[in-house]
Amino acid sequence: MNRDGKNRSLWQDWPAPYQPLNSGGCDYNKVYDALIVGGGITGLTTGVLLQEAGLDCLLAEARTIGFGTSLGTTAHLNTLMDTPYPLIEKRFGLSGARLVAKAGEKAIALVETFTAETAVACNFERKTAWLVAATAEERQRLDEIREASLRAGLTAYPVSDCPVKLPFLAGCCFEAQGQVNAGAYLCSLAQRFEESGGIILEHTLVDETERETDYHKVSTMEGVIKARRLIYATHIPPGVNQFSVLCAPYRSYAVAFTLADGHYPDGLAYDMKEPYNYFRTQRVGDRDYVIAGGFDHKCGHEENTENVFRQLEAMVRAYFNVSEIAYKWSSQYFEPADGLPYIGRYPGREETFVATGFSGNGFTFGTFSAILISELIMSGESEFESLFSPSRLKPLASAKNLVMENADVVAEWLAGFWKNDKISLLTELAPGDARVVEWEGKSLAIYKSETGKIYAVNAVCPHFGCKVSWNNTERSWDCPCHGSRFSFDGSLLTGPALSGLQGRDLDES
Ligand code: FES
């Protein structure tokens, strides 16, 4: 299974025996009940729920199943969210906090049910989570989180130790969290969707959409798809829209490693640093791995992303008797302006639905999005509709800050650009290295492959005109403004951009 970066995640080498296939193709003369755009956790789960509810669904994925963040997840399932409950309660009231906790519970329960019903070994397990404070300030926040979590209806209690030997001043346990093998689970969902009659179209990028009287006309390279409902399960909706302003793109880092002493921790463990770090054990195949993650930063704001892995590895070696770092990978998530994702009806668009802004709770909120959107479609309402509505107005003040924060990076990054001529560029660029250069009034993103081949593409992101920056560990061009990502040769990896960076022939520039 492939994903949107050079590094391989733990899940890519452990797919189920089933490989998703185009099961019969699309009938371009037919009007489908729903077109789901995006073949990750959100799209596949939505497809299963709607197809099994009796709708006739088509799922279009621009690359392959799980290609985006779903195969870059660490696949922990939580009611303990990245946005702490004291903040949720403050912004959305106690009833809102209780609904968020309930949303997490429903998502974990659905994964538990689906994994119990498949023959694919998804290694789903219910786990207890430890949240650990190392300082007095963290302990105060921990107490507030525990009290607000109890008010939200979760089971939480103080503890005096943690299965991971983190610096420990105080700790709190949260019951009934979960974890799963993401690759196996995605495959099981794809299989279930196709077995119930759904059709998956891989390598199908959705481009233009147009609303006819009672259905959408959706352009793809292969033809025009017709569907009564359109569901954007693309992590961030494609194109220029309000969600690029409401959600800020972040990169997160993970490693999976084996232990020399065999003392694998039983449970999920989180510290309270900002950004926080987390740890858990996952069995895949016949081996156990500890997954550790963290060191998040805004997309495009880190000049040497490979160095982040060195810091992460140094941290895990301080806490564990590491035998082998088997996998390392990074992935993208979107931070919503007010702390809760945007899930539901797409503002101003008829029979269109969207789910985005999951923070670091992607597998949980992706699964929950499928529940909420399928409720809206099948029954016309949901108790969660108002809380998660993409039309809610709360984010405006925060959104302004996000836009400013996202825009500032361009000048900063440009400060380090080369001013060079072609000869020195070609000779001085090391194999595997890349630069953005200002050249004859144009900005070029230039990458030199390990074999010495030069790739030169326009450094200006086609989404909204920001300049991309190089991600040296994933070998990608990342846009700091709204998180579009492109391969070293300029081809589109993930939106919101709808097209890649155009190539340029150096001899003609
Ligand atoms: Fe918006 Fe690049 S993603 S300008």
Side-chain angles (χ1 to χ4, degrees), residues 86-347:
L87 189 58
I88 297 173
E89 188 179 317
K90 182 178 171 192
R91 288 181 174 166
F92 301 94
L94 181 55
S95 60
R98 286 181 172 154
L99 277 174
V100 171
K102 189 173 179 180
E105 286 167 354
K106 286 177 81 85
I108 299 171
L110 185 68
V111 178
E112 185 171 36
T113 300
F114 278 4
T115 52
E117 292 174 350
T118 179
V120 177
C122 297
N123 298 97
F124 172 86
E125 290 181 87
R126 289 276 185 175
K127 289 290 179 186
T128 297
W130 275 256
L131 187 58
V132 171
T135 66
E137 183 275 330
E138 289 177 1
R139 179 160 66 181
Q140 183 177 344
R141 275 196 289 127
L142 179 68
D143 289 342
E144 290 168 1
I145 289 171
R146 179 172 53 81
E147 288 164 11
S149 299
L150 289 169
R151 289 194 294 275
L154 299 180
T155 302
Y157 49 87
V159 289
S160 56
D161 62 5
C162 173
V164 177
K165 299 306 171 195
L166 303 171
F168 189 98
L169 188 62
C172 181
C173 266
F174 297 81
E175 297 284 8
Q177 312 299 299
Q179 62 183 42
V180 71
N181 179 329
Y185 184 56
L186 290 171
C187 282
S188 77
L189 288 174
Q191 183 177 29
R192 183 167 178 154
F193 177 60
E194 289 194 335
E195 285 175 353
S196 59
I199 293 174
I200 295 174
L201 299 177
E202 293 188 303
H203 305 288
T204 301
L205 178 69
V206 165
D207 197 345
E208 299 289 320
T209 67
E210 186 184 334
R211 181 74 185 172
E212 292 287 321
T213 307
D214 59 353
Y215 61 85
H216 300 274
K217 280 169 64 177
V218 180
S219 299
T220 71
M221 289 293 284
E222 292 72 27
V224 177
I225 298 169
K226 302 183 199 64
R228 292 182 185 85
R229 303 168 187 90
L230 184 57
I231 301 158
Y232 285 109
T234 50
H235 204 199
I236 190 86
V240 176
N241 52 61
Q242 63 269 54
F243 298 107
S244 293
V245 176
L246 291 168
C247 300
Y250 280 74
R251 302 293 301 169
S252 189
Y253 294 76
V255 290
F257 53 96
T258 55
L259 297 180
D261 57 15
H263 294 150
Y264 288 87
D266 184 13
L268 314 173
Y270 303 83
D271 70 21
M272 296 188 67
K273 293 190 172 83
E274 292 181 357
Y276 69 87
N277 303 299
Y278 56 91
F279 311 84
R280 71 177 178 87
T281 298
Q282 175 73 49
R283 174 160 282 256
V284 286
D286 58 358
R287 290 181 83 184
D288 285 328
Y289 297 86
V290 178
I291 297 173
F295 289 85
D296 307 3
H297 62 75
K298 286 179 188 166
C299 180
H301 278 239
E302 175 61 50
E303 192 167 341
N304 185 352
T305 49
E306 188 61 40
N307 195 40
V308 182
F309 279 119
R310 293 191 194 103
Q311 296 172 49
L312 176 56
E313 185 173 336
M315 181 189 71
V316 301
R317 289 189 185 278
Y319 297 148
F320 295 93
N321 187 352
V322 175
S323 172
E324 178 199 9
I325 303 282
Y327 296 88
K328 65 171 191 176
W329 70 100
S330 67
S331 65
Q332 191 127 319
Y333 67 90
F334 288 89
E335 196 67 50
D338 64 1
L340 289 186
Y342 305 96
I343 309 167
R345 302 180 200 278
Y346 200 124

Side-chain angles (χ1 to χ4, degrees), residues 244 461-468 479-486 495-497:
S244 293
C461 175
H463 178 238
F464 213 64
C466 293
K467 288 197 179 73
V468 295
C479 182
C481 286
H482 313 112
S484 293
R485 297 182 58 243
F486 310 88

Side-chain angles (χ1 to χ4, degrees), residues 43 84 179 193 198 201 238 257 301 322 418 428 433 448 455 469 501 508:
Q179 62 183 42
F193 177 60
L201 299 177
F257 53 96
H301 278 239
V322 175
W418 284 10
E428 291 179 18
D433 203 357
K448 191 179 202 177
Y455 295 84
S469 57
L501 304 171
E508 294 176 358

Side-chain angles (χ1 to χ4, degrees), residues 34 36 41-57 59 106-107 109-111 113-114 117 185 189-190 192-194 196 198 231 365-378:
I36 299 152
I41 181 67
T42 304
L44 288 169
T45 312
T46 304
V48 170
L49 291 177
L50 292 180
Q51 193 70 32
E52 293 186 354
L55 299 195
D56 198 4
C57 300
L59 186 152
K106 286 177 81 85
L110 185 68
V111 178
T113 300
F114 278 4
E117 292 174 350
Y185 184 56
L189 288 174
R192 183 167 178 154
F193 177 60
E194 289 194 335
S196 59
I231 301 158
F365 279 131
T367 304
F368 169 71
S369 297
I371 296 170
L372 172 48
I373 289 172
S374 61
E375 283 180 0
L376 292 177
I377 288 175
M378 298 311 298

